[in-house]
C-alpha cells in the first residue's frame, strides 16, 4: 500500500475533500502517468464514505494527452479546470 499526500485537504463537518492541483504547460509522459494515477485513486476511493477527491488541473499540455484525461474524467466526476471555477 502506498501513501498519498494531497495538495490540500479540507474538512467540512464529517466530510473530507482531498484535492490535487496542477498545471501542465507542455505535453509528456508526466501527464499520462498523472491521469492514470488519479484514475486509479478515484476508483479506489469511490466507496470511502464522506470522502471526495477533487482534481483541479489546467494547461495546454493536456492537448497532447486528451485520451488519458478523458479516461480519468469517465471515472472521476470532480475534475475541474480554471473555466469551471
Amino acid at each position: 500500500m502506498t501513501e498519498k499526500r494531497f495538495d490540500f485537504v479540507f474538512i467540512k463537518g464529517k466530510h473530507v475533500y482531498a484535492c490535487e492541483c496542477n498545471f501542465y504547460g507542455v505535453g509528456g509522459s508526466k501527464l499520462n502517468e498523472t491521469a492514470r494515477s488519479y484514475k486509479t485513486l478515484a476508483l479506489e476511493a469511490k466507496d470511502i464514505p464522506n470522502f471526495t477527491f477533487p482534481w483541479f488541473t489546467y494547461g495546454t499540455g493536456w492537448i497532447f494527452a486528451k485520451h488519458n484525461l478523458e479516461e480519468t474524467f469517465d471515472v472521476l466526476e470532480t475534475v475541474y479546470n480554471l473555466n469551471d471555477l
Side-chain angles (χ1 to χ4, degrees):
M1 179 183 214
T2 59
E3 182 178 311
K4 172 66 179 148
R5 291 183 180 230
F6 293 94
D7 291 334
F8 300 95
V9 176
F10 302 97
I11 300 171
K12 183 171 181 177
K14 294 182 180 183
H15 201 96
V16 175
Y17 298 87
C19 308
E20 283 293 321
C21 305
N22 47 49
F23 173 85
Y24 295 103
V26 296
S29 61
K30 177 69 174 168
L31 284 91
N32 295 327
E33 181 52 38
T34 298
R36 277 189 226 108
S37 166
Y38 290 174
K39 177 182 175 182
T40 300
L41 179 62
L43 290 170
E44 291 175 354
K46 71 177 182 168
D47 294 327
I48 298 173
N50 300 313
F51 180 84
T52 301
F53 169 48
W55 177 24
F56 302 93
T57 191
Y58 196 74
T60 56
W62 286 114
I63 293 170
F64 307 102
K66 286 181 186 177
H67 180 70
N68 290 71
L69 183 60
E70 183 180 12
E71 282 185 8
T72 305
F73 191 78
D74 288 343
V75 299
L76 179 60
E77 296 179 7
T78 53
V79 177
Y80 305 101
N81 67 27
L82 289 179
N83 293 328
D84 295 328
L85 302 177

